[in-house]
Amino acid sequence: MSPDNRKHRGPGPRDHLLFTEDQVEIMAAAAKDYCWLLDKNYTAKAALKLVGDHFKLQERQRKALDRACQPSELVERVATGELSSPEALKHRSVIIDGFNLLIIMEAVLSGAPVFKGRDGLIRDISGLHGSYRKISETPKAIALTAAFFKQYNASSVLWVFDKPVSNSGRLAKFVQEVGLENDIQWQTKLADQTDNKVAEADKIVISSDSQILARCNQWFNLISFFLENRIIESNWLIDIWKHN
């Protein structure tokens, strides 16, 4: 499973124009309107088009806005299950939304812009389109995750990957091998409905998907922990909420 140098989760070719300080100010104003509409039960699709057209946002700006905005009711539900300290993971069972965690970490490590949501979660705008290819940053992302769980001594860790995604089996095998090399008690699993498997497991969840986190009992914000403690550093973390 060698890195595919043709694929990269770094910045888009126009991101240096789309996410300047001035553009982020415009997005912050758009976020306020977008969330107001979400709180009034507009569908996300209709609200995003309405706000995006009004503020003349480009496609990647709209995607970032959508990732950074959640209705207040969802934000409140997600917050109830958050664990504040990694110490809470000690001797506990953990389940990881595999592609969700890895792709965001790869985006950060690749220097791509990432966005802090209204719910405090970090998200990228690269996405996954039916096929996954390992990039140069993948081994580092997995190794950092292994070091974290080795330090905080979870009793078990289960990575769940979307079975329909091309190359998911190869990635799961690679993750398993990294666990063995680092003497980490983790396993990998392929699933057809990853969101349900993760949300409904009686384990601490690692994910940045608010729909999953609103359904689970407890979760830990691993990406934010990595960033706040400079385990990984983002050159381009955009928090549109600090402007509101």
Side-chain angles (χ1 to χ4, degrees):
M1 211 175 159
S2 58
D4 183 347
N5 294 322
R6 296 169 300 170
K7 299 292 182 182
H8 196 61
R9 264 173 276 285
R14 298 187 68 249
D15 283 356
H16 67 291
L17 300 175
L18 297 176
F19 301 114
T20 63
E21 189 65 25
D22 287 346
Q23 289 296 313
V24 171
E25 290 278 1
I26 292 170
M27 290 178 62
K32 189 179 295 185
D33 288 358
Y34 183 39
C35 285
W36 185 88
L37 291 170
L38 292 176
D39 288 343
K40 295 295 182 183
N41 295 319
Y42 279 69
T43 66
K45 183 177 180 180
L48 186 61
K49 176 167 175 49
L50 186 64
V51 172
D53 289 352
H54 176 73
F55 285 93
K56 298 180 173 60
L57 300 181
Q58 301 300 306
E59 182 180 353
R60 280 176 70 79
Q61 292 173 320
R62 294 181 193 222
K63 183 180 286 189
L65 188 70
D66 192 42
R67 301 281 171 90
C69 294
Q70 298 80 33
S72 57
E73 182 270 338
L74 180 59
V75 172
E76 291 165 6
R77 274 196 292 142
V78 166
T80 61
E82 183 177 7
L83 297 171
S84 59
S85 168
E87 300 292 344
L89 278 62
K90 189 174 183 179
H91 304 316
R92 301 281 302 279
S93 296
V94 176
I95 189 166
I96 299 176
D97 184 0
F99 282 122
N100 179 276
L101 176 66
L102 273 186
I103 289 173
I104 297 171
M105 287 187 69
E106 289 168 353
V108 173
L109 292 168
S110 299
V114 291
F115 302 84
K116 188 171 184 177
R118 191 185 190 189
D119 54 9
L121 290 150
I122 308 300
R123 298 182 177 89
D124 70 309
I125 54 173
S126 54
L128 183 65
H129 305 288
S131 179
Y132 176 87
R133 284 183 173 83
K134 179 183 170 188
I135 60 171
S136 299
E137 291 79 8
T138 305
K140 183 175 182 180
I142 300 169
L144 288 170
T145 306
F148 170 85
F149 283 110
K150 196 164 189 174
Q151 179 178 353
Y152 290 102
N153 198 26
S155 62
S156 67
V157 180
L158 175 63
W159 293 72
V160 182
F161 294 101
D162 302 80
K163 188 175 182 180
V165 174
S166 176
N167 294 320
S168 58
R170 296 172 67 194
L171 176 62
K173 182 180 178 182
F174 180 70
V175 171
Q176 187 69 53
E177 290 169 353
V178 173
L180 290 171
E181 290 168 4
N182 288 274
D183 195 26
I184 302 295
Q185 296 300 314
W186 71 23
Q187 302 294 323
T188 59
K189 180 179 181 179
L190 304 182
D192 287 317
Q193 296 182 321
T194 299
D195 289 5
N196 290 338
K197 298 289 185 185
V198 174
E200 296 169 6
D202 187 21
K203 302 174 187 288
I204 296 171
V205 170
I206 305 292
S207 178
S208 293
D209 186 329
S210 54
Q211 296 294 338
I212 289 176
L213 301 182
R215 296 166 56 196
C216 74
N217 292 323
Q218 293 182 309
W219 62 277
F220 182 69
N221 195 341
L222 184 58
I223 299 287
S224 288
F225 177 83
F226 281 157
L227 290 171
E228 290 166 6
N229 292 277
R230 297 190 173 182
I231 295 168
I232 57 175
E233 294 202 40
S234 172
N235 297 322
W236 214 343
L237 173 59
I238 298 173
D239 182 3
I240 63 175
W241 298 103
K242 72 179 181 180
H243 297 267
N244 282 319

